[in-house]
Amino acid sequence: MMKLDKKPLISSLQRIKQHKHLFVKLTVSLLLLGIAFRVFIWDSFTSLPIPIQQQQQQQTTDHETSLQLQPPDTIELQPNRTSSQDDVGGRCDLFIGDWIPYPPGSVYTNVTCPEIENHQNCMTNGRPDSEYLYWRWKPRDCDLPRFDPVRFLDSMRNKWWAFIGDSISRNHVQSLLCILYQAEQAVEVYHDKEYKSRIWNFPSYNFTLSVIWAPYLLKSAIFEDINGVSSAAVQLHLDKLDENWSDQFKNFDYVLIAGGKWFLKTAIYYEENKVVGCHDCAGMNLTDLGFDYAYRKALRLALNFITKSDHKAFVFFRTFTPDHFENGEWSTGGTCNRKIPFKDGEIDLADLDTVMREIELEEVEKFAGDHVKLLDTTQLSLLRPDGHPGPYRQFQPYAKDKNATVQYDCLHWCLPGPIDSWNDLVMEMISHDR
């Protein structure tokens, strides 16, 4: 029998074992390298920012869970953020932007705020739609934090704010009051007979807030009822300030002052107590100087008084608010039935509004500085035809007759509503000296 020579076999087995060990070592090394590579790459990807599209999808999902108005006791105050971190090419223009959907809605309702005037209390008056509540102003090149009532009141300890102007100023101060109510309820300490001028105090902060009725900023005699119907032309003194605000100016730490649509009304103009002309005065045998003549004089006199005063209050000049009457005006059947904001470029200022705006910008520029700032609410307000009371300036206007003829208000603002964003702008300007 032939014997098998084992030496070559043993030699072959040894070589196979050596190759096997080598293969195992190589496999283990590759496995360890793969694990290390996976860990490294995973950590790198998890540290990258989420793509914008994915962020928007996440935000949409988060917001879909909260579509109801939040009552005050559930509000979480947002931490203060510096908008300049998002500025592009320098300081951000807060007044150029868009209205963006905001599912959380307003921080207050008609139930949680007792300071809403009846004519602007749209929800109580029966306005059936609510989409107008779910938008907020977003500047194009930076973020605009929501108004923080606690932070605002804390920074205003022992201070006095005054809103000076017409019924839009009163509309605005009610918006501010409603937001501040989330921190503390105000105590009214004064009102005039018609509740046009009022003063409130926030006891815990010794903060005083007032609104002063001065629709022309100038001395005037007005003959008009509560519905805006005039029985005679306004008598307007172009060289005298309205003492209702000028005599109190020295008491104020902050002032928000505004002119507006009142200058379009029929008026007789006085200087040195003598008639010098008029506006919209056909048949009076007077020279029609135009509303622009009076408006420029009024702003120049008021701003000159403010800047030359020894008392250096911080003053905002708020630009006028355009109305959104269609198919008529206030007293001629005008309406406003739109349900969503305009997009930029879809609407332009009316000719008279353009003239008024140019006067404001020109006059404020002459006096602007450390103590006088422009609060330019015109363009952002122009884009909100959906935010007015319309027929719901009256309580349940169609309760008895669905086809009733009702006067529309397409000038003032529902509360809550678009005007609440004006307070976001004010606080941002104060916080970052814009």
Side-chain angles (χ1 to χ4, degrees):
M1 180 181 287
M2 186 174 180
K3 291 185 180 179
L4 181 64
D5 187 355
K6 294 183 179 179
K7 290 183 178 180
L9 180 61
I10 292 171
S11 179
S12 297
L13 289 171
Q14 289 175 340
R15 285 196 299 273
I16 290 172
K17 288 181 179 180
Q18 290 173 353
H19 286 306
K20 187 176 181 180
H21 288 313
L22 182 61
F23 178 79
V24 170
K25 290 180 179 180
L26 181 60
T27 301
V28 171
S29 298
L30 289 173
L31 181 61
L32 293 174
L33 182 61
I35 293 172
F37 181 80
R38 179 182 177 85
V39 170
F40 175 78
I41 294 298
W42 179 257
D43 286 345
S44 299
F45 275 105
T46 55
S47 64
L48 292 176
I50 299 173
I52 293 175
Q53 185 176 2
Q54 186 176 345
Q55 286 181 341
Q56 291 173 341
Q57 290 173 350
Q58 288 181 353
Q59 290 171 356
T60 300
T61 301
D62 292 341
H63 290 331
E64 284 175 352
T65 63
S66 177
L67 296 177
Q68 301 299 319
L69 293 178
Q70 300 178 7
D73 58 353
T74 65
I75 293 171
E76 295 181 3
L77 296 176
Q78 297 297 317
N80 182 49
R81 294 166 292 179
T82 303
S83 295
S84 57
Q85 292 174 351
D86 297 320
D87 288 358
V88 176
R91 185 161 289 190
C92 169
D93 190 334
L94 297 173
F95 312 118
I96 297 177
D98 304 280
W99 289 95
I100 62 172
Y102 187 66
S106 175
V107 298
Y108 68 92
T109 72
N110 58 318
V111 175
T112 62
C113 180
E115 293 294 342
I116 303 175
E117 189 172 307
N118 291 337
H119 287 165
Q120 281 89 57
N121 201 336
C122 301
M123 288 189 285
T124 295
N125 290 345
R127 179 168 173 171
D129 63 305
S130 61
E131 291 88 349
Y132 69 97
L133 298 170
Y134 298 102
W135 301 85
R136 67 171 300 211
W137 180 249
K138 172 65 173 67
R140 296 262 173 91
D141 296 327
C142 59
D143 185 33
L144 179 62
R146 295 304 301 269
F147 188 98
D148 183 334
V150 173
R151 182 166 171 261
F152 176 85
L153 285 171
D154 193 55
S155 66
M156 293 298 156
R157 290 182 183 274
N158 305 313
K159 304 293 185 184
W160 191 338
W161 270 73
F163 285 65
I164 301 169
D166 58 16
S167 55
I168 300 295
S169 292
R170 191 164 68 244
N171 202 174
H172 187 185
V173 82
Q174 289 167 10
S175 167
L176 178 60
L177 277 166
C178 287
I179 296 174
L180 293 179
Y181 259 68
Q182 316 315 308
E184 181 172 83
Q185 185 169 338
V187 177
E188 185 178 45
V189 295
Y190 168 82
H191 65 78
D192 63 5
K193 183 178 179 180
E194 297 178 331
Y195 285 81
K196 290 184 175 181
S197 294
R198 302 171 69 184
I199 302 175
W200 299 265
N201 182 259
F202 291 80
S204 298
Y205 301 89
N206 192 29
F207 170 60
T208 304
L209 178 62
S210 61
V211 60
I212 299 174
W213 173 251
Y216 290 101
L217 306 179
L218 302 173
K219 180 181 179 181
S220 61
I222 300 171
F223 310 94
E224 187 175 285
D225 65 20
I226 193 171
N227 293 314
V229 178
S230 298
S231 58
V234 174
Q235 298 175 7
L236 189 60
H237 295 261
L238 303 183
D239 54 352
K240 297 179 182 179
L241 292 174
D242 188 334
E243 294 178 353
N244 286 332
W245 73 269
S246 61
D247 285 355
Q248 299 184 65
F249 180 75
K250 61 183 180 295
N251 298 322
F252 306 139
D253 298 290
Y254 290 84
V255 172
L256 202 155
I257 193 167
K261 296 283 189 177
W262 277 77
F263 284 85
L264 300 179
K265 295 175 180 288
T266 299
I268 300 173
Y269 299 152
Y270 292 78
E271 293 186 52
E272 297 181 352
N273 294 320
K274 297 179 181 178
V275 175
V276 295
C278 62
H279 167 63
D280 190 25
C281 52
M284 292 187 183
N285 197 27
L286 296 172
T287 302
D288 193 330
L289 298 174
F291 80 90
D292 52 326
Y293 177 83
Y295 196 39
R296 192 178 294 277
K297 283 243 178 186
L299 298 190
R300 190 172 297 176
L301 188 64
L303 291 169
N304 186 62
F305 168 81
I306 288 168
T307 53
K308 288 189 175 181
S309 173
D310 292 334
H311 177 66
K312 299 303 179 184
F314 192 102
V315 177
F316 294 95
F317 179 86
R318 178 184 56 74
T319 57
F320 81 100
T321 303
D323 63 58
H324 292 96
F325 285 102
E326 298 183 59
N327 305 311
E329 297 296 330
W330 181 282
S331 57
T332 58
T335 60
C336 45
N337 293 314
R338 297 182 184 270
K339 304 301 181 187
I340 60 174
F342 285 121
K343 294 180 180 178
D344 190 24
E346 290 183 339
I347 185 174
D348 295 317
L349 284 173
D351 291 341
L352 289 178
D353 291 346
T354 299
V355 172
M356 185 169 287
R357 176 168 173 75
E358 288 175 353
I359 292 172
E360 290 176 339
L361 296 181
E362 289 170 6
E363 294 303 319
V364 173
E365 185 179 10
K366 295 175 184 176
F367 297 95
D370 292 340
H371 295 281
V372 177
K373 302 291 184 182
L374 182 72
L375 177 62
D376 190 356
T377 58
T378 300
Q379 182 62 26
L380 63 95
S381 301
L382 179 65
L383 300 179
R384 292 305 305 271
D386 57 320
H388 302 292
Y392 297 98
R393 70 185 297 268
Q394 304 161 59
F395 182 72
Q396 302 291 338
Y398 300 113
K400 295 181 180 180
D401 182 358
K402 293 182 179 180
N403 299 312
T405 300
V406 180
Q407 185 181 47
Y408 278 61
D409 181 353
C410 306
L411 174 62
H412 300 93
W413 302 96
C414 289
L415 293 178
I419 199 172
D420 294 327
S421 283
W422 295 6
N423 298 307
D424 297 341
L425 292 168
V426 168
M427 187 161 187
E428 179 67 5
M429 292 175 73
I430 294 172
S431 300
H432 299 105
D433 189 28
R434 291 183 176 273

